[in-house]
Amino acid sequence: MGLFDRFERGPLRLNRIEAFSDGVFAIIVTLLVLELKVPSIPDHHGVSELGRQLVELLPKFLSWLISFVIVCKFWLNHHPILGLARHANYALVWLNSLFLMGQSFIPFPTALMGEYAGNPLAVSAFGVVMAVNTVLFIVLHAYILRHLIKPALADAQDPDIIRKSFIGVRSYLVGAAAAWTSVHAAFVVYLLTPLFFIVPVTRRDVAESGLA
Amino acid sequence: MGLFDRFERGPLRLNRIEAFSDGVFAIIVTLLVLELKVPSIPDHHGVSELGRQLVELLPKFLSWLISFVIVCKFWLNHHPILGLARHANYALVWLNSLFLMGQSFIPFPTALMGEYAGNPLAVSAFGVVMAVNTVLFIVLHAYILRHLIKPALADAQDPDIIRKSFIGVRSYLVGAAAAWTSVHAAFVVYLLTPLFFIVPVTRRDVAESGLA
Amino acid sequence: MGLFDRFERGPLRLNRIEAFSDGVFAIIVTLLVLELKVPSIPDHHGVSELGRQLVELLPKFLSWLISFVIVCKFWLNHHPILGLARHANYALVWLNSLFLMGQSFIPFPTALMGEYAGNPLAVSAFGVVMAVNTVLFIVLHAYILRHLIKPALADAQDPDIIRKSFIGVRSYLVGAAAAWTSVHAAFVVYLLTPLFFIVPVTRRDVAESGLA
Amino acid sequence: MGLFDRFERGPLRLNRIEAFSDGVFAIIVTLLVLELKVPSIPDHHGVSELGRQLVELLPKFLSWLISFVIVCKFWLNHHPILGLARHANYALVWLNSLFLMGQSFIPFPTALMGEYAGNPLAVSAFGVVMAVNTVLFIVLHAYILRHLIKPALADAQDPDIIRKSFIGVRSYLVGAAAAWTSVHAAFVVYLLTPLFFIVPVTRRDVAESGLA
């Protein structure tokens, strides 16, 4: 008991956790562009050759764009979640670090899908990683709701919010499965999933989506 | 209506949007240097050979310098724009994220122009990307002016500011077109454009520039 | 004396030291993923070939994961340590910078161990670097306790905390030594060490661990 | 006049300039490690071969260490300088951006010196870049002293501080010149120069150094 009491007080401040998280998010979205390598062509002045090479980079541009939107969406939803907590404890910090670990991994599957856009394994792996990231986010959210929610906000929470959040998990897994039939379908699912969550889910959205 | 009300209140705070944006800006300007690769020469002690290789990097140094100035200019103009908003909503966040996506893309055309400084396509692409970035900035600016402006600041705004901001777009496109005739002319235009916007545009500047 | 007085007052503010440190921590954990290079296979559509290559990356994934947890742990423990100081002086800033230098070096031994997971020298070097990092952290901690502790917090400090912190140093060195017999044993020790410190050490933990 | 009045008021806030600068500093010191590439050896289990390759990296480790200390020193001295200003204006922002541009360039000469540690041109270039960076810092400092100093702090300033700051410039240039005779001497000068400035210069230090 004394140990847990210590967790709930002490020098942990929510604002440094936010600063650390914002830093990690900002670096991830900016690092993604490093995977867009300038093509190498022998004739430096060849316009049509360079144009052809740039067109071949299209899957990489698309992977970059999808991951950028997804990470921005996670960043955006991370705000109100942390805002629900009345203070930070060690459990929160580690669940948040685990979530950020998942986020910071995203450049790898992004590069993999960009490089092997026609390979079902690469495209499917992207969806699985995003599903895992969504689960890590849900775990963080659920922990705060159960243990750290500000009393004043407790009643305003949608009691089904956690169950609804699994729509994202299922959607990414649908994309991951679709990749084995059509990589194009998977790309479409990956792009649409974060767009669906661009604003916080309301009951009506979920009802209309037919996914719940 | 209830949905939009929710957008305009809630846990979104302007200071975390600023922190995220500042982080992205800081990372972009610092990552640009990673494109300056140390040249590879067989004789490690050859002074004249190393000197020759460094001189050949000049277009890359110049691309780096131009992009550094441009991103700093965007960062600087981003301050007062966000300062106009009385609060943040989801539309603001996503327009801002879209703008940051454009910014974070800048290392790619910078590297492309540095590597293929004599190739009109590469030099032209740089100008087009910068024009698109300026448009994304203008959209963000216009949205705040129309929907989120602080009442106390509304009267002090220049009613023609959005129209004037398109000078930058046109200027980058002029550079992009010039690249097909002379890449040197394009470099000059790209370097001069942000310098013109180093301080906020006043009516006199625009009148004197002859671009409006 | 006049020189030291100047160190203890003046314009140094603890919050910019925290901001700088948080920035460095955030960048380190995010840069670690850059060592996970997408494998290169000739047949872009070969699922089994890509799968085999990804499995061979396992040691790199594991190195990445261990370093991520270790740096997060350092970041987390860095909070309360700086919180003990009543203000910053130049000695604190430089001890902190030295500590951050050690932290920012971590991507190198991580990449080394990931690339040469079966090489005792590479695996051992990882443990030595982590031991040195822990020593740098202890030096910072001890300096604050001796010279800058807030009077109100002085009595609440565990008088044996510095001695106890050396458990981490010894643990990493045990791993570094174990690497020469079994690299697998070293990996296990490296992974367990930060987990032991996930929450601040209490007397009971140390007594139960049998390491003190 | 109206234009300059506008420069001195308005929405420019010193704290976002600090945040941006801290971000750039944090990223630079952390990026430096990316130049430490893991050596490539054919026999992955060869301990002595890996050890030999790591020893050959010593000049790169040393370049990394020197640059880390130098950038930390600039970051540290940047604090009190900005703290002297009563507010920010566009001139301050651009002088600061120019200074940060110089800082963000540092990874390049660091990598160059690390790769070509025996080449006088590479070692000399490092010193010249550091001298230019020190000049950019002095310009920023001098501008604040002349135009933006807080009235309450004006009298406490050392009237010779700018002249004294040129000791650093001269010292780096001495190192750059020494490189053409002995690269080892240059390394020593580069390492000692920031150490001399680890704490703010006092009159006695300068008198004792014999450099003024």
Side-chain angles (χ1 to χ4, degrees):
Chain A
M1 266 309 284
L3 193 65
F4 281 101
D5 283 357
R6 191 171 172 185
F7 280 0
E8 288 173 13
R9 282 189 246 108
L12 288 174
R13 283 169 297 148
L14 217 44
N15 67 328
R16 267 193 88 180
I17 297 170
E18 282 187 359
F20 183 65
S21 304
D22 280 351
V24 171
F25 280 121
I27 300 156
I28 293 166
V29 294
T30 321
L31 281 187
L32 288 170
V33 82
L34 293 186
E35 298 300 336
L36 299 175
K37 297 276 192 322
V38 169
S40 178
I41 60 173
D43 172 17
H44 266 52
H45 293 75
V47 165
S48 62
E49 174 63 9
L50 183 59
R52 220 176 359 256
Q53 293 278 338
L54 288 176
V55 168
E56 278 183 22
L57 285 180
L58 267 183
K60 295 196 178 186
F61 288 128
L62 197 56
S63 296
W64 166 77
L65 184 130
I66 291 174
S67 285
F68 194 100
V69 172
I70 288 176
V71 176
C72 277
K73 191 221 62 167
F74 274 116
W75 167 75
L76 179 56
N77 289 348
H78 190 254
H79 275 218
I81 300 302
L82 280 196
L84 296 174
R86 58 183 184 271
H87 59 74
N89 63 16
Y90 281 96
L92 172 68
V93 169
W94 281 108
L95 290 178
N96 192 56
S97 295
L98 211 63
F99 165 67
L100 292 178
M101 189 165 80
Q103 293 290 302
S104 79
F105 186 65
I106 287 176
F108 181 75
T110 305
L112 193 70
M113 186 166 79
E115 182 70 30
Y116 300 102
N119 190 315
L121 179 59
V123 179
S124 183
F126 184 89
V128 171
V129 169
M130 292 309 166
V132 170
N133 269 284
T134 309
V135 168
L136 291 172
F137 181 79
I138 292 173
V139 170
L140 177 66
H141 192 178
Y143 179 83
I144 292 174
L145 285 180
R146 195 159 305 176
H147 297 287
L148 293 172
I149 185 101
K150 288 173 185 158
L153 298 175
D155 288 341
Q157 301 305 306
D158 179 348
D160 289 334
I161 185 70
I162 296 299
R163 192 177 56 75
K164 284 173 189 168
S165 301
F166 274 98
I167 298 171
V169 180
R170 265 172 280 164
S171 183
Y172 285 124
L173 291 179
V174 164
W180 297 94
T181 312
S182 156
V183 292
H184 296 96
F187 269 85
V188 171
V189 173
Y190 296 157
L191 190 56
L192 291 182
T193 304
L195 297 183
F196 182 74
F197 284 97
I198 256 178
V199 297
V201 179
T202 64
R203 281 162 218 222
R204 204 168 6 144
D205 291 337
V206 176
E208 283 167 2
S209 76
L211 277 164
Chain B
M1 268 308 285
L3 193 64
F4 281 100
D5 283 357
R6 189 172 173 183
F7 279 179
E8 288 172 12
R9 282 190 245 107
L12 288 174
R13 284 168 296 148
L14 216 44
N15 67 328
R16 266 192 89 179
I17 297 170
E18 282 187 359
F20 183 65
S21 305
D22 280 350
V24 171
F25 280 120
I27 300 156
I28 294 167
V29 295
T30 321
L31 281 187
L32 288 170
V33 83
L34 293 186
E35 298 301 335
L36 299 174
K37 297 276 193 320
V38 169
S40 178
I41 60 173
D43 172 17
H44 265 51
H45 293 76
V47 165
S48 63
E49 174 63 10
L50 183 60
R52 222 177 357 258
Q53 294 278 339
L54 288 176
V55 169
E56 279 183 21
L57 286 180
L58 268 183
K60 295 197 178 186
F61 288 129
L62 197 56
S63 297
W64 166 76
L65 185 130
I66 291 174
S67 286
F68 194 100
V69 173
I70 288 176
V71 176
C72 277
K73 191 222 61 166
F74 275 117
W75 167 74
L76 179 56
N77 288 349
H78 191 254
H79 276 217
I81 300 303
L82 280 195
L84 296 175
R86 57 182 185 272
H87 59 73
N89 63 16
Y90 281 97
L92 172 68
V93 168
W94 280 107
L95 290 178
N96 192 57
S97 295
L98 211 63
F99 166 67
L100 292 178
M101 189 164 81
Q103 293 291 303
S104 80
F105 185 63
I106 287 176
F108 181 75
T110 306
L112 193 71
M113 185 166 80
E115 181 71 29
Y116 300 102
N119 190 315
L121 178 59
V123 179
S124 184
F126 183 90
V128 171
V129 169
M130 293 308 166
V132 170
N133 268 284
T134 309
V135 168
L136 292 172
F137 181 79
I138 292 173
V139 170
L140 176 66
H141 192 178
Y143 179 82
I144 292 174
L145 285 180
R146 195 160 304 175
H147 297 288
L148 293 172
I149 184 102
K150 288 172 185 160
L153 297 177
D155 289 340
Q157 302 304 307
D158 179 347
D160 290 334
I161 185 69
I162 295 299
R163 195 179 53 76
K164 285 173 190 168
S165 301
F166 274 98
I167 297 171
V169 180
R170 267 172 280 164
S171 184
Y172 285 124
L173 291 178
V174 164
W180 296 94
T181 312
S182 155
V183 291
H184 295 96
F187 269 86
V188 171
V189 173
Y190 296 157
L191 190 56
L192 291 182
T193 304
L195 296 183
F196 182 75
F197 284 97
I198 255 179
V199 297
V201 179
T202 65
R203 280 163 219 219
R204 205 167 7 140
D205 291 337
V206 176
E208 281 168 2
S209 75
L211 278 163
Chain C
M1 267 307 287
L3 194 67
F4 282 101
D5 283 357
R6 191 171 171 184
F7 281 180
E8 288 174 11
R9 283 188 245 108
L12 288 174
R13 283 169 297 147
L14 218 44
N15 67 328
R16 266 192 88 180
I17 297 170
E18 282 187 358
F20 182 65
S21 304
D22 281 350
V24 172
F25 281 120
I27 300 156
I28 294 167
V29 295
T30 321
L31 282 186
L32 288 170
V33 82
L34 293 186
E35 297 301 336
L36 299 175
K37 297 276 192 322
V38 168
S40 178
I41 59 173
D43 172 17
H44 266 50
H45 293 76
V47 165
S48 63
E49 174 63 8
L50 183 60
R52 215 170 10 250
Q53 294 278 339
L54 288 177
V55 168
E56 278 183 22
L57 286 180
L58 267 183
K60 295 197 179 188
F61 288 129
L62 197 55
S63 296
W64 167 76
L65 184 131
I66 292 173
S67 286
F68 195 100
V69 172
I70 288 177
V71 177
C72 277
K73 191 222 60 169
F74 275 116
W75 168 74
L76 179 57
N77 289 348
H78 190 254
H79 274 217
I81 300 301
L82 279 196
L84 297 174
R86 58 183 185 271
H87 59 73
N89 63 16
Y90 281 95
L92 172 68
V93 168
W94 281 107
L95 290 178
N96 192 57
S97 295
L98 212 63
F99 165 67
L100 292 178
M101 189 166 80
Q103 293 290 303
S104 79
F105 186 64
I106 287 177
F108 181 76
T110 306
L112 193 71
M113 186 167 79
E115 181 70 30
Y116 300 102
N119 190 314
L121 179 59
V123 179
S124 183
F126 184 90
V128 171
V129 169
M130 293 308 167
V132 170
N133 269 283
T134 310
V135 169
L136 291 172
F137 181 80
I138 292 172
V139 170
L140 177 66
H141 191 178
Y143 180 83
I144 292 174
L145 285 180
R146 195 160 306 176
H147 297 287
L148 292 171
I149 185 101
K150 288 173 184 158
L153 298 176
D155 289 341
Q157 301 305 307
D158 180 346
D160 290 335
I161 184 70
I162 295 299
R163 193 178 57 75
K164 284 175 189 166
S165 302
F166 274 98
I167 297 171
V169 181
R170 266 172 279 165
S171 183
Y172 285 124
L173 291 179
V174 164
W180 297 93
T181 311
S182 156
V183 292
H184 296 96
F187 270 85
V188 171
V189 172
Y190 296 157
L191 190 57
L192 291 182
T193 304
L195 297 183
F196 182 74
F197 284 96
I198 256 179
V199 297
V201 178
T202 64
R203 281 165 218 220
R204 202 165 11 140
D205 292 338
V206 177
E208 282 167 1
S209 75
L211 277 164
Chain D
M1 268 307 287
L3 195 64
F4 281 102
D5 283 358
R6 190 171 173 183
F7 280 179
E8 289 173 11
R9 281 189 246 107
L12 287 174
R13 283 169 296 147
L14 217 44
N15 66 329
R16 266 192 87 179
I17 297 170
E18 282 187 358
F20 182 64
S21 305
D22 281 350
V24 171
F25 281 120
I27 299 156
I28 294 167
V29 295
T30 321
L31 282 187
L32 288 170
V33 83
L34 293 186
E35 297 301 335
L36 299 175
K37 297 277 192 321
V38 169
S40 177
I41 60 173
D43 172 17
H44 266 51
H45 293 75
V47 166
S48 63
E49 175 62 9
L50 183 61
R52 219 172 4 253
Q53 294 278 339
L54 287 177
V55 168
E56 278 183 22
L57 286 179
L58 267 183
K60 295 197 177 188
F61 288 128
L62 197 56
S63 297
W64 166 76
L65 184 130
I66 291 174
S67 286
F68 194 101
V69 172
I70 288 176
V71 177
C72 277
K73 191 221 62 166
F74 275 116
W75 168 74
L76 179 56
N77 289 349
H78 190 255
H79 277 218
I81 300 301
L82 280 195
L84 296 174
R86 57 182 185 271
H87 59 73
N89 63 16
Y90 281 96
L92 172 68
V93 168
W94 280 106
L95 289 177
N96 191 57
S97 295
L98 212 63
F99 165 68
L100 292 178
M101 189 165 81
Q103 294 291 303
S104 79
F105 186 63
I106 287 177
F108 181 76
T110 305
L112 193 71
M113 186 166 79
E115 181 70 30
Y116 300 102
N119 190 316
L121 179 59
V123 179
S124 185
F126 183 91
V128 171
V129 169
M130 293 308 166
V132 171
N133 269 284
T134 309
V135 169
L136 292 173
F137 181 79
I138 293 172
V139 170
L140 177 66
H141 191 178
Y143 180 83
I144 291 174
L145 285 180
R146 195 160 304 175
H147 297 287
L148 292 171
I149 184 101
K150 288 172 185 159
L153 297 177
D155 289 341
Q157 301 304 307
D158 179 348
D160 291 334
I161 185 69
I162 295 299
R163 193 178 56 74
K164 284 173 190 167
S165 301
F166 274 97
I167 297 171
V169 180
R170 266 173 279 164
S171 184
Y172 286 125
L173 291 179
V174 164
W180 296 94
T181 312
S182 156
V183 291
H184 296 96
F187 270 85
V188 170
V189 173
Y190 296 157
L191 190 57
L192 291 182
T193 304
L195 296 183
F196 182 75
F197 284 97
I198 256 179
V199 297
V201 179
T202 64
R203 281 165 219 217
R204 204 165 11 138
D205 292 337
V206 176
E208 283 167 2
S209 75
L211 277 164

